[in-house]
Amino acid sequence: MDADLKSIAAARRAAETAFEAYRKFLGTDPAHVNAIVDAMARAIEPEAKRLAVMAVDETGYGNVEDKRIKNMFNALSVADYLRDVTTLGMLWHDDATKIAAFGEPMGVVAALIPVTNPTSTIIFKVLSAVKAGNAIVCAPHPRGLRCGMETLGIMARVAEQMGAPKGLIQCMDHVTIQGTAELMRHRRTSVVMATGGPAMVRAAYSSGKPTLAVGAGNVPCYVHKSKRHDLAEVAEMIITSKSFDYGTACVSEQAVVADPEIARDLRHEMKLKGAYFCSRSEADRLARVIFRGPRAMDPDRVGQSPHALAAAAEFDIPPRTRCLVSDETEVGWQRPLSAEKLNPVLAFYEAESSDDGIERAHSIARFEGWGHSAVVHADDPEIVAQFATVPTGRVLVNTPGILGGMGYSTDMEPSFMLGTGTWSGSITSDNVTALHLINIKRVAYQSRPWRDIYDEYAE
């Protein structure tokens, strides 16, 4: 049997057995569901580093320590958030309007897993799906299959030990594009959670099933002159966020736009924090290494260290370099480094004024980043309000992009799936959580005499 047939068969088996497990799981006491979710999260904690090692070894993307932190965030912070969220049974009631709302599961979740975050995304999606009373079938990227299956296996075994039906949590063991497509459109699949590249997201939306998906994130980071006395901390936040796991997160900064009054000092602080500013010729060579053409990142350059990228572009950098930076003046494919880059590479723009800086940040978001995220560093509330008209689903203020966006350094919902709204064709601009994986049933009593309609609208 060829690979596609094996994958299609695996998808059909998984969808059918997941549906049967879901039917058995229906009606489980929400307290028992919570206990299962907590047990799965606790089981991941001691395995977080081992799974990170497996992910780096198998995919070749990112670094072990940051992938460990991603695993821990999803096992602990996401689980802590879910513990206080009601997803099943009565959600709320209003005595005045005589309406009560009840949460009910959607069914079988088809979860597409990206190669950039092959373990942490599984942790997040499994915890969220089960918290909402659903079954879940994960379809990893083929390059992350082994570490994905190991992650899911840990969680599935613990869930079954806690009384969850066998098959509630599954991972396809043979994965191809055709097999993943079969999973998404299978009659037993209720909803698709798609995290991955543009082709994967398009396939998810064309599956004919309700789909939660995300778009690209060309995240601008505007630094206003009001931060002139705090530029060392601003520089550390930017470099830490962009270098985290070698830039594999869509929500990390992609371009820095600095007011003219502080651009020179910010550049200096960024250098002290480990940024290497490329010459024009180095930047051009770097662009040819990262991109094969417009909208075509070279997958072999995703999630690589600054030193690996510099070596591929044939120039030398200092030993402690954390991030590569290209001075830019234009936005568009004529300057590829102004686009999203899933590696530790930043564009840097010096604005002519604050108004110009904000407009430049907006143009960066509109180019390859509609709907995702934007970052502003400013101590002037009016500047923040002006910047916040950017066409993105989240605007993060005085915080690192990745940590703020995923809900660690801000009070947004902890999530590893950040909706991008209708700006980029997504159904939601929220940080996706278990609350997006339930149907809400409303029970409404009559609150006014029904015959009154004839009097109210009489001719």
Side-chain angles (χ1 to χ4, degrees), residues 353-369:
S353 64
S354 294
D355 287 343
D356 176 64
I358 292 173
E359 177 51 38
R360 180 61 56 91
H362 282 221
S363 67
I364 292 165
R366 291 192 296 266
F367 172 59
E368 297 290 301

Side-chain angles (χ1 to χ4, degrees), residues 9-126:
R12 290 173 178 171
R13 285 194 305 270
E16 290 289 352
T17 56
F19 180 72
E20 291 304 316
Y22 155 70
R23 292 179 64 184
K24 294 176 183 176
F25 199 51
L26 272 175
T28 300
D29 187 282
H32 189 194
V33 173
N34 289 342
I36 293 171
V37 170
D38 281 343
M40 289 192 294
R42 289 196 304 272
I44 287 295
E45 186 175 357
E47 302 283 6
K49 184 171 183 179
R50 182 174 70 87
L51 295 173
V53 171
M54 288 184 67
V56 172
D57 288 346
E58 186 176 7
T59 66
Y61 291 170
N63 62 78
V64 169
E65 177 54 20
D66 290 341
K67 287 200 181 298
R68 183 191 70 82
I69 291 173
K70 287 180 177 179
N71 290 340
M72 292 293 287
F73 170 78
N74 284 286
L76 299 182
S77 294
V78 170
D80 286 346
Y81 164 78
L82 291 176
R83 193 173 297 117
D84 296 327
V85 172
T86 300
T87 54
L88 301 172
M90 183 180 286
L91 306 180
W92 52 264
H93 70 278
D94 188 330
D95 291 336
T97 60
K98 298 183 180 180
I99 295 176
F102 295 83
E104 296 193 358
M106 288 185 169
V108 176
V109 178
L112 280 58
I113 309 300
V115 66
T116 47
N117 297 297
T119 57
S120 52
T121 306
I122 284 181
I123 298 167
F124 166 72
K125 290 186 177 181
V126 168

Side-chain angles (χ1 to χ4, degrees), residues 40-377:
M40 289 192 294
R42 289 196 304 272
I44 287 295
E45 186 175 357
E47 302 283 6
K49 184 171 183 179
R50 182 174 70 87
L51 295 173
V53 171
M54 288 184 67
V56 172
D57 288 346
E58 186 176 7
T59 66
Y61 291 170
N63 62 78
V64 169
E65 177 54 20
D66 290 341
K67 287 200 181 298
R68 183 191 70 82
I69 291 173
K70 287 180 177 179
N71 290 340
M72 292 293 287
F73 170 78
N74 284 286
L76 299 182
S77 294
V78 170
D80 286 346
Y81 164 78
L82 291 176
R83 193 173 297 117
D84 296 327
V85 172
T86 300
T87 54
L88 301 172
M90 183 180 286
L91 306 180
W92 52 264
H93 70 278
D94 188 330
D95 291 336
T97 60
K98 298 183 180 180
I99 295 176
F102 295 83
E104 296 193 358
M106 288 185 169
V108 176
V109 178
L112 280 58
I113 309 300
V115 66
T116 47
N117 297 297
T119 57
S120 52
T121 306
I122 284 181
I123 298 167
F124 166 72
K125 290 186 177 181
V126 168
L127 294 179
S128 300
V130 175
K131 170 71 178 186
N134 300 300
I136 181 169
V137 180
C138 292
H141 189 283
R143 192 167 164 176
L145 179 60
R146 188 170 61 87
C147 62
M149 289 186 66
E150 180 66 16
T151 304
L152 190 135
I154 293 168
M155 303 179 79
R157 286 191 293 273
V158 169
E160 290 169 21
Q161 290 168 5
M162 293 289 294
K166 185 176 179 62
L168 190 75
I169 302 163
Q170 296 186 58
C171 186
M172 288 174 57
D173 53 2
H174 294 87
V175 184
T176 66
I177 292 174
Q178 286 76 10
T180 301
E182 177 67 19
L183 174 66
M184 290 190 291
R185 63 174 176 255
H186 194 278
R187 66 190 182 112
R188 299 303 193 190
T189 294
S190 301
V191 62
V192 177
M193 296 181 79
T195 309
M200 177 185 284
V201 171
R202 283 194 299 271
Y205 277 123
S206 64
S207 68
K209 295 300 176 80
T211 296
L212 294 162
V214 298
N218 196 24
V219 179
C221 173
Y222 170 57
V223 185
H224 183 251
K225 59 189 177 184
S226 60
K227 300 298 291 187
R228 61 169 51 89
H229 301 301
D230 203 21
L231 292 179
E233 178 67 4
V234 170
E236 180 63 28
M237 285 191 276
I238 293 170
I239 300 301
T240 296
S241 182
K242 186 54 180 168
S243 62
F244 191 84
D245 202 27
Y246 295 156
T248 53
C250 295
V251 72
S252 62
E253 293 81 348
Q254 298 291 339
V256 177
V257 182
D259 273 353
E261 295 87 346
I262 51 93
R264 179 180 176 182
D265 290 340
L266 178 60
R267 182 192 300 266
H268 174 70
E269 293 294 345
M270 289 175 65
K271 289 178 179 178
L272 292 178
K273 303 302 182 184
Y276 175 82
F277 281 75
C278 302
S279 68
R280 182 76 173 200
S281 63
E282 289 171 341
D284 289 343
R285 295 201 300 275
L286 184 62
R288 289 193 291 271
V289 163
I290 293 174
F291 293 97
R292 293 175 173 174
R295 299 176 180 82
M297 268 184 282
D298 186 336
D300 292 333
R301 305 303 181 192
V302 170
Q304 303 303 298
S305 71
H307 296 84
L309 293 171
E314 299 182 337
F315 61 89
D316 296 324
I317 59 175
R320 296 187 178 181
T321 298
R322 301 165 64 195
C323 182
L324 305 175
V325 185
S326 171
D327 282 299
E328 299 289 341
T329 58
E330 299 176 78
V331 177
W333 280 113
Q334 72 278 13
R335 296 300 301 169
L337 295 185
S338 65
E340 181 188 43
K341 306 161 289 293
L342 295 179
N343 42 45
V345 177
L346 276 169
F348 188 95
Y349 297 85
E350 181 173 340
E352 296 178 2
S353 64
S354 294
D355 287 343
D356 176 64
I358 292 173
E359 177 51 38
R360 180 61 56 91
H362 282 221
S363 67
I364 292 165
R366 291 192 296 266
F367 172 59
E368 297 290 301
W370 285 95
H372 205 293
S373 305
V375 180
V376 57
H377 293 276

